Amino acid sequence: MKPFYTLFILTVLFFAAPWTSEAENILFDRNLSIGNSGEDVLALQKILNENPYTKIAGSGAGSPGFETEYFGNLTKKAVIRYQELHKSEILSPTGLKNGTGFVGPSTIKKLNAA
């Protein structure tokens, strides 16, 4: 019976532990736009995929679990949705009404605050 209880306790601890994504471990420190690549783009895609509204794609490259290190058109479109979702924090302070898809200072500030 002891092995069962040990397994039970480990299972409870695993599922009760706060969930953190790999994306939370990165600090965004550069502007990002179409054509960029790197671990920060991968982290950006993971953050975008956490919300169904800002999800990059439903399947294939860029979709949840299949994020890439490349900033392409699908990432740009998802960034625009992210910027518009957080309009008061990202767009309004800079006088913009619509998302641009460019990850600049105000978007970086919001990403790093998450």
Side-chain angles (χ1 to χ4, degrees):
M1 282 201 130
K2 283 188 178 185
F4 171 78
Y5 288 114
T6 302
L7 179 60
F8 175 77
I9 290 170
L10 290 174
T11 302
V12 169
L13 289 174
F14 175 79
F15 286 107
W19 183 261
T20 57
S21 69
E22 292 175 37
E24 292 179 17
N25 296 327
I26 192 153
L27 182 66
F28 294 92
D29 61 359
R30 68 174 175 141
N31 297 335
L32 296 171
S33 60
I34 289 184
N36 287 135
S37 60
E39 289 183 27
D40 50 356
V41 175
L42 178 65
L44 172 65
Q45 288 188 2
K46 288 181 179 188
I47 289 170
L48 294 170
N49 280 337
E50 289 175 358
N51 184 324
Y53 180 70
T54 60
K55 184 168 65 171
I56 295 169
S59 63
S63 66
F66 297 96
E67 292 90 353
T68 71
E69 291 188 359
Y70 181 73
F71 193 121
N73 283 321
L74 293 177
T75 303
K76 178 182 177 178
K77 290 177 184 177
V79 168
I80 290 170
R81 291 190 300 275
Y82 180 84
Q83 291 169 329
E84 293 177 353
L85 181 65
H86 302 285
K87 188 175 200 164
S88 65
E89 297 168 86
I90 298 173
L91 301 176
S92 297
T94 60
L96 295 171
K97 295 184 188 267
N98 299 308
T100 62
F102 174 75
V103 179
S106 60
T107 306
I108 290 169
K109 182 179 177 182
K110 175 64 180 169
L111 289 166
N112 285 336

